[in-house]
Amino acid sequence: MIEELAAGVPGWSVDTDVVVIGSGIAGLVAAIRASGQGRVLLVTKALLDAGSTRWAQGGIAAALAPEDSPEEHLADTLTAGVGLCDADAVRALVTEGPDAVRRLIEAGAHFDVGPDGTVSLTREGGHHRRRIAHAGGDATGAEISRALLAALKQTDGVEVIENALVLDLLMAGGRAAGVTLHVMGEGTRDGVGAVRARAVVLATGGLGQVFAATTNPEVSTGDGVALAMRAGAEVADLEFVQFHPTVMWLGPDAQGQQPLISEAVRGEGAHLVDAQGERFMVGRHELAELAPRDVVAKGIMNRMRETGEPCMWLDGRHLGADFWESRFPNILASCRQHGVDPVTDPIPVVPAAHYASGGVRTDLYGRTSIPGLYACGEVACTGVHGANRLASNSLLEGLVFAERIGQAVKDDLTLPVPRPEPSDRSVGLLDPSVRADVQKTMSAYCGVLRNAEGLAEAERELARLAGRTSAQPCVEAWEATNLHQVATAVVAAAAQRAETRGSHWREDFPDRDDAAWLGRLVGRAAGQGYRLAFHPTTASKGE
């Protein structure tokens, strides 16, 4: 059964070959690569440079150093994913990654270089080698976004619509046939419209705004995952929401987008300490502060429980003023803006929602379970990340799999122009005020620490919120409805997985259970509900 948001009859329409939704690294690369196959329409929710990519601080991981290898990158990724990575997807990532980064450099991205002129590389959590390329010290995402936007301007055959919220997938004969969207502004295309296309590429980013405190921008409301679910596409691994260990603590009531303190700060030698100055990660893992993110986040939460402190601290005072100013100028400025000078004071930090390892389930070429619908970047679940994403693999995944999609869509362009069919029924919209209550519920009961009682309460509260409807279609109501739908799916998966693995931490099931749970939870909307199925995996177990 195909569902759609209540939005009214489209007031305009346009035909294209490929429509790409999103303008982060995944969307921009997919649009540029697909332009060689046919006409492309690139749709983005805000301005072209407003997605999550520009917020990426640390860098992009690839085996670029002579002493490094794709096999070592593969091993680190499988270990971080705690048994649930798709080994074939990871191999595609790490083997194609180095050349993909080199093509990014050829396209105009300026990465930091050492005295010998080669790309400067750093380490981050879970990596045994220095393989993180960075730009502007701690402005890697902004530089990649700048370079790709410049390349887009030089690319023929790509039309852009900004300030447009994608609403739903159009279908024809069981295939994706385009999307409906709402353009927020005035012009030849404003209000609700329809884009007919032979192929649809979702690159809508993450779902961090499901939580009260997140590193994600306000536009990260899970729109792509919600759209795919309403259309009947499979989603997977939604329980694995990564909480970044070192997000600046702004107080117990802090909400919205929070300042991220890149993992690269620890990679360059900063230490995690408690109120007494003790490095509590030493002895908890062989890599100490540079353990995989789930390990560090749990270490911080455990130490907070042990000491009763509301946060821990990241101590980089020994790095010196010159190093902070040259290597991490933006993080330094952000900390000072919030009243903390990392040169003289430790930074208060706590884990916060950061990245969705799960999403719309795809194959190795970004194809979803719906023919003609593709997904890449954070909205997708390629299987690369498993139960926990390895640091700085996100930009690389967006880059590599967007390139693959750009080639794969050529098969769709041989088909005739689709004639979209009406949906089966319209989904009632929720009141915009539901957004804040969803965020409060998710942070309280489905955050870093989870248990059966809390997840059951989250299910009850989300069911209650489903009754607070809105009579008037608007951007705020569409976003609130998307957030509620995604939150409901995340809670359902978290409640079913009765173990602790990667970024999913069940207090009532504190151990990893390979006998029962070495596999993935794959979900699909089913009528008014949501159905989950367990798919055992034969992927490398990772330790």
Side-chain angles (χ1 to χ4, degrees):
M1 177 178 289
I2 306 302
E3 300 178 333
E4 65 178 20
L5 294 172
V9 178
W12 56 270
S13 64
V14 62
D15 291 345
T16 190
D17 292 318
V18 182
V19 58
V20 178
I21 314 297
S23 62
I25 185 172
L28 292 173
V29 172
I32 292 170
R33 295 291 183 268
S35 67
Q37 313 293 342
R39 298 169 300 156
V40 176
L41 178 63
L42 175 62
V43 177
T44 187
K45 190 172 182 180
L47 299 178
L48 276 174
D49 65 349
S52 292
T53 291
R54 73 184 182 99
W55 297 100
Q57 297 172 342
I60 184 167
L64 298 171
E67 65 274 15
D68 199 2
S69 70
E71 286 299 319
E72 290 177 276
H73 191 180
L74 174 79
D76 285 345
T77 301
L78 293 178
T79 297
V82 202
L84 297 193
C85 295
D86 182 317
D88 291 335
V90 179
R91 190 169 297 281
L93 178 84
V94 300
T95 56
E96 297 176 20
D99 282 344
V101 172
R102 293 183 185 104
R103 285 190 290 273
L104 195 57
I105 294 171
E106 291 171 0
H110 300 299
F111 289 96
D112 297 335
V113 297
D116 61 355
T118 61
V119 174
S120 180
L121 302 172
T122 190
R123 275 185 70 195
E124 291 186 357
H127 293 272
H128 284 79
R129 294 281 191 185
R130 296 179 74 89
R131 66 169 65 100
I132 317 301
H134 48 84
D138 57 0
T140 309
E143 172 55 20
I144 289 175
S145 180
R146 181 207 62 77
L148 289 174
L149 288 173
L152 182 71
K153 291 180 181 179
Q154 304 300 316
T155 302
D156 295 329
V158 180
E159 182 184 356
V160 176
I161 298 179
E162 296 180 306
N163 299 307
L165 171 64
V166 66
L167 299 175
D168 282 295
L169 190 68
L170 296 173
M171 299 286 289
R175 291 185 54 87
V179 294
T180 55
L181 48 84
H182 174 79
V183 178
M184 298 168 275
E186 296 181 0
T188 56
R189 293 175 186 155
D190 58 1
V192 176
V195 177
R196 294 186 291 265
R198 292 177 172 88
V200 177
V201 181
L202 295 178
T204 51
L207 47 83
Q209 288 291 326
V210 163
F211 297 90
T214 176
T215 63
N216 290 190
E218 289 189 4
V219 295
S220 297
T221 49
D223 306 322
V225 172
L227 172 152
M229 289 175 58
R230 286 192 295 272
E234 290 183 345
V235 295
D237 296 347
L238 289 184
E239 66 270 36
F240 297 115
V241 177
Q242 186 176 79
F243 287 75
H244 197 288
T246 52
V247 176
M248 191 175 186
W249 186 69
L250 300 181
D253 300 320
Q255 297 182 357
Q257 187 176 8
Q258 305 295 298
L260 175 66
I261 310 299
S262 171
E263 197 146 11
V265 177
R266 283 175 279 139
E268 296 291 357
H271 303 143
L272 281 167
V273 299
D274 60 19
Q276 306 304 315
E278 180 181 345
R279 289 182 60 190
F280 57 88
M281 284 304 299
V282 174
R284 297 193 184 218
H285 191 277
E286 60 166 337
L287 296 177
E289 287 92 353
L290 288 178
R293 288 178 176 174
D294 63 314
V295 176
V296 179
K298 291 169 186 174
I300 290 174
M301 296 299 294
N302 278 328
R303 195 60 165 176
M304 287 167 57
R305 282 180 158 188
E306 293 165 6
T307 64
E309 298 288 346
C311 64
M312 290 290 107
W313 286 264
L314 186 63
D315 191 351
R317 291 175 292 179
H318 55 285
L319 300 178
D322 291 345
F323 188 84
W324 272 103
E325 290 168 2
S326 62
R327 181 66 176 85
F328 301 113
N330 294 291
I331 295 174
L332 178 63
S334 175
C335 288
R336 286 174 170 170
Q337 180 183 349
H338 290 94
V340 176
D341 188 343
V343 176
T344 58
D345 301 298
I347 307 167
V349 293
V350 293
H354 180 61
Y355 189 88
S357 294
V360 185
R361 193 184 188 198
T362 75
D363 67 7
L364 298 183
Y365 286 88
R367 303 182 187 96
T368 73
S369 59
I370 296 177
L373 177 65
Y374 298 79
C376 55
E378 191 173 352
V379 69
C381 181
T382 63
V384 159
H385 306 306
N388 177 62
R389 174 172 70 82
L390 182 64
S392 288
N393 268 356
S394 53
L395 290 178
L396 189 69
E397 183 199 31
L399 175 62
V400 167
F401 286 91
E403 287 192 339
R404 285 181 154 231
I405 288 173
Q407 295 300 312
V409 293
K410 66 182 179 182
D411 295 333
D412 300 279
L413 304 193
T414 62
L415 301 173
V417 176
R419 296 181 177 275
E421 305 159 348
S423 68
D424 294 308
R425 67 185 186 90
S426 179
V427 175
L429 298 181
L430 300 186
D431 188 86
S433 64
V434 165
R435 175 174 182 153
D437 288 332
V438 167
Q439 293 169 331
K440 180 180 178 182
T441 297
M442 292 297 286
S443 289
Y445 302 116
C446 196
V448 180
L449 304 176
R450 301 165 174 175
N451 57 52
E453 182 180 356
L455 292 167
E457 179 60 29
E459 288 178 334
R460 288 190 291 270
E461 180 62 12
L462 291 171
R464 185 186 69 80
L465 292 174
R468 279 174 37 193
T469 58
S470 172
Q472 185 64 38
C474 62
V475 171
E476 294 78 12
W478 289 320
E479 286 187 333
T481 304
N482 284 341
L483 284 170
H484 182 274
Q485 184 170 8
V486 172
T488 300
V490 171
V491 169
Q496 185 157 331
R497 183 173 288 276
E499 67 160 351
T500 289
R501 183 184 298 268
S503 54
H504 173 64
W505 187 2
R506 286 287 297 263
E507 295 178 280
D508 46 349
F509 295 97
D511 299 320
R512 168 178 166 177
D513 184 357
D514 283 355
W517 289 105
L518 188 61
R520 307 169 70 187
L521 286 171
V522 177
R524 190 193 292 265
Q528 299 280 358
Y530 179 68
R531 183 176 66 248
L532 281 166
F534 181 70
H535 291 215
T537 181
T538 57
S540 173
K541 293 186 177 182
E543 294 301 329

PDB file of all heavy atoms in Angstrom, residues 36-51:
ATOM      1  N   GLY A  36      26.002  12.784 -17.055  1.00  0.00           N
ATOM      2  CA  GLY A  36      26.549  12.154 -18.251  1.00  0.00           C
ATOM      3  C   GLY A  36      25.608  11.147 -18.876  1.00  0.00           C
ATOM      4  O   GLY A  36      25.853  10.678 -19.998  1.00  0.00           O
ATOM      5  N   GLN A  37      24.510  10.811 -18.157  1.00  0.00           N
ATOM      6  CA  GLN A  37      23.555   9.821 -18.647  1.00  0.00           C
ATOM      7  C   GLN A  37      22.282  10.461 -19.199  1.00  0.00           C
ATOM      8  O   GLN A  37      21.600   9.857 -20.026  1.00  0.00           O
ATOM      9  CB  GLN A  37      23.170   8.862 -17.512  1.00  0.00           C
ATOM     10  CG  GLN A  37      24.320   8.318 -16.691  1.00  0.00           C
ATOM     11  CD  GLN A  37      25.221   7.390 -17.486  1.00  0.00           C
ATOM     12  OE1 GLN A  37      24.848   6.888 -18.530  1.00  0.00           O
ATOM     13  NE2 GLN A  37      26.438   7.179 -16.989  1.00  0.00           N
ATOM     14  N   GLY A  38      21.954  11.675 -18.713  1.00  0.00           N
ATOM     15  CA  GLY A  38      20.721  12.327 -19.148  1.00  0.00           C
ATOM     16  C   GLY A  38      20.479  13.596 -18.355  1.00  0.00           C
ATOM     17  O   GLY A  38      21.350  14.094 -17.642  1.00  0.00           O
ATOM     18  N   ARG A  39      19.253  14.127 -18.488  1.00  0.00           N
ATOM     19  CA  ARG A  39      18.892  15.363 -17.780  1.00  0.00           C
ATOM     20  C   ARG A  39      18.742  15.084 -16.283  1.00  0.00           C
ATOM     21  O   ARG A  39      18.182  14.057 -15.891  1.00  0.00           O
ATOM     22  CB  ARG A  39      17.583  15.921 -18.311  1.00  0.00           C
ATOM     23  CG  ARG A  39      17.596  16.330 -19.781  1.00  0.00           C
ATOM     24  CD  ARG A  39      16.179  16.600 -20.243  1.00  0.00           C
ATOM     25  NE  ARG A  39      15.354  15.400 -20.096  1.00  0.00           N
ATOM     26  CZ  ARG A  39      14.021  15.422 -19.978  1.00  0.00           C
ATOM     27  NH1 ARG A  39      13.368  16.573 -19.955  1.00  0.00           N
ATOM     28  NH2 ARG A  39      13.337  14.296 -19.863  1.00  0.00           N
ATOM     29  N   VAL A  40      19.224  16.004 -15.463  1.00  0.00           N
ATOM     30  CA  VAL A  40      19.179  15.849 -14.010  1.00  0.00           C
ATOM     31  C   VAL A  40      18.523  17.077 -13.388  1.00  0.00           C
ATOM     32  O   VAL A  40      18.840  18.217 -13.757  1.00  0.00           O
ATOM     33  CB  VAL A  40      20.591  15.667 -13.412  1.00  0.00           C
ATOM     34  CG1 VAL A  40      20.524  15.599 -11.888  1.00  0.00           C
ATOM     35  CG2 VAL A  40      21.252  14.406 -13.965  1.00  0.00           C
ATOM     36  N   LEU A  41      17.623  16.830 -12.456  1.00  0.00           N
ATOM     37  CA  LEU A  41      17.072  17.897 -11.623  1.00  0.00           C
ATOM     38  C   LEU A  41      17.538  17.656 -10.203  1.00  0.00           C
ATOM     39  O   LEU A  41      17.285  16.594  -9.626  1.00  0.00           O
ATOM     40  CB  LEU A  41      15.541  17.897 -11.676  1.00  0.00           C
ATOM     41  CG  LEU A  41      14.833  18.951 -10.805  1.00  0.00           C
ATOM     42  CD1 LEU A  41      15.192  20.363 -11.262  1.00  0.00           C
ATOM     43  CD2 LEU A  41      13.320  18.758 -10.832  1.00  0.00           C
ATOM     44  N   LEU A  42      18.243  18.628  -9.635  1.00  0.00           N
ATOM     45  CA  LEU A  42      18.756  18.532  -8.264  1.00  0.00           C
ATOM     46  C   LEU A  42      17.871  19.392  -7.369  1.00  0.00           C
ATOM     47  O   LEU A  42      17.750  20.600  -7.571  1.00  0.00           O
ATOM     48  CB  LEU A  42      20.206  19.015  -8.210  1.00  0.00           C
ATOM     49  CG  LEU A  42      20.864  19.083  -6.829  1.00  0.00           C
ATOM     50  CD1 LEU A  42      20.942  17.711  -6.187  1.00  0.00           C
ATOM     51  CD2 LEU A  42      22.255  19.696  -6.933  1.00  0.00           C
ATOM     52  N   VAL A  43      17.260  18.755  -6.384  1.00  0.00           N
ATOM     53  CA  VAL A  43      16.348  19.432  -5.463  1.00  0.00           C
ATOM     54  C   VAL A  43      16.975  19.436  -4.078  1.00  0.00           C
ATOM     55  O   VAL A  43      17.448  18.398  -3.599  1.00  0.00           O
ATOM     56  CB  VAL A  43      14.984  18.703  -5.419  1.00  0.00           C
ATOM     57  CG1 VAL A  43      14.054  19.371  -4.407  1.00  0.00           C
ATOM     58  CG2 VAL A  43      14.348  18.679  -6.800  1.00  0.00           C
ATOM     59  N   THR A  44      16.967  20.587  -3.415  1.00  0.00           N
ATOM     60  CA  THR A  44      17.540  20.658  -2.072  1.00  0.00           C
ATOM     61  C   THR A  44      16.616  21.414  -1.132  1.00  0.00           C
ATOM     62  O   THR A  44      15.897  22.334  -1.552  1.00  0.00           O
ATOM     63  CB  THR A  44      18.940  21.305  -2.103  1.00  0.00           C
ATOM     64  OG1 THR A  44      19.533  21.220  -0.809  1.00  0.00           O
ATOM     65  CG2 THR A  44      18.878  22.754  -2.554  1.00  0.00           C
ATOM     66  N   LYS A  45      16.607  21.012   0.121  1.00  0.00           N
ATOM     67  CA  LYS A  45      15.626  21.505   1.086  1.00  0.00           C
ATOM     68  C   LYS A  45      15.836  22.968   1.446  1.00  0.00           C
ATOM     69  O   LYS A  45      14.881  23.690   1.718  1.00  0.00           O
ATOM     70  CB  LYS A  45      15.690  20.635   2.343  1.00  0.00           C
ATOM     71  CG  LYS A  45      14.564  20.880   3.339  1.00  0.00           C
ATOM     72  CD  LYS A  45      14.611  19.847   4.446  1.00  0.00           C
ATOM     73  CE  LYS A  45      13.490  20.018   5.442  1.00  0.00           C
ATOM     74  NZ  LYS A  45      13.523  19.022   6.519  1.00  0.00           N
ATOM     75  N   ALA A  46      17.083  23.400   1.505  1.00  0.00           N
ATOM     76  CA  ALA A  46      17.365  24.800   1.819  1.00  0.00           C
ATOM     77  C   ALA A  46      18.207  25.349   0.666  1.00  0.00           C
ATOM     78  O   ALA A  46      17.869  25.174  -0.506  1.00  0.00           O
ATOM     79  CB  ALA A  46      18.077  24.913   3.158  1.00  0.00           C
ATOM     80  N   LEU A  47      19.306  26.026   0.983  1.00  0.00           N
ATOM     81  CA  LEU A  47      20.239  26.442  -0.059  1.00  0.00           C
ATOM     82  C   LEU A  47      21.181  25.284  -0.370  1.00  0.00           C
ATOM     83  O   LEU A  47      21.320  24.349   0.410  1.00  0.00           O
ATOM     84  CB  LEU A  47      21.020  27.674   0.399  1.00  0.00           C
ATOM     85  CG  LEU A  47      20.184  28.924   0.696  1.00  0.00           C
ATOM     86  CD1 LEU A  47      21.072  30.059   1.187  1.00  0.00           C
ATOM     87  CD2 LEU A  47      19.395  29.365  -0.537  1.00  0.00           C
ATOM     88  N   LEU A  48      21.865  25.359  -1.496  1.00  0.00           N
ATOM     89  CA  LEU A  48      22.698  24.258  -1.947  1.00  0.00           C
ATOM     90  C   LEU A  48      23.757  23.850  -0.926  1.00  0.00           C
ATOM     91  O   LEU A  48      24.115  22.681  -0.828  1.00  0.00           O
ATOM     92  CB  LEU A  48      23.392  24.631  -3.271  1.00  0.00           C
ATOM     93  CG  LEU A  48      22.581  24.399  -4.548  1.00  0.00           C
ATOM     94  CD1 LEU A  48      23.337  24.950  -5.749  1.00  0.00           C
ATOM     95  CD2 LEU A  48      22.276  22.922  -4.754  1.00  0.00           C
ATOM     96  N   ASP A  49      24.265  24.806  -0.155  1.00  0.00           N
ATOM     97  CA  ASP A  49      25.364  24.493   0.768  1.00  0.00           C
ATOM     98  C   ASP A  49      24.921  24.336   2.210  1.00  0.00           C
ATOM     99  O   ASP A  49      25.737  24.407   3.124  1.00  0.00           O
ATOM    100  CB  ASP A  49      26.438  25.584   0.695  1.00  0.00           C
ATOM    101  CG  ASP A  49      25.945  26.935   1.184  1.00  0.00           C
ATOM    102  OD1 ASP A  49      24.727  27.088   1.378  1.00  0.00           O
ATOM    103  OD2 ASP A  49      26.779  27.846   1.368  1.00  0.00           O
ATOM    104  N   ALA A  50      23.619  24.057   2.426  1.00  0.00           N
ATOM    105  CA  ALA A  50      23.104  24.044   3.801  1.00  0.00           C
ATOM    106  C   ALA A  50      22.989  22.660   4.420  1.00  0.00           C
ATOM    107  O   ALA A  50      22.495  22.533   5.535  1.00  0.00           O
ATOM    108  CB  ALA A  50      21.735  24.735   3.844  1.00  0.00           C
ATOM    109  N   GLY A  51      23.449  21.623   3.737  1.00  0.00           N
ATOM    110  CA  GLY A  51      23.302  20.272   4.270  1.00  0.00           C
ATOM    111  C   GLY A  51      24.358  19.925   5.305  1.00  0.00           C
ATOM    112  O   GLY A  51      25.180  20.756   5.709  1.00  0.00           O
TER     113      GLY A  51
END
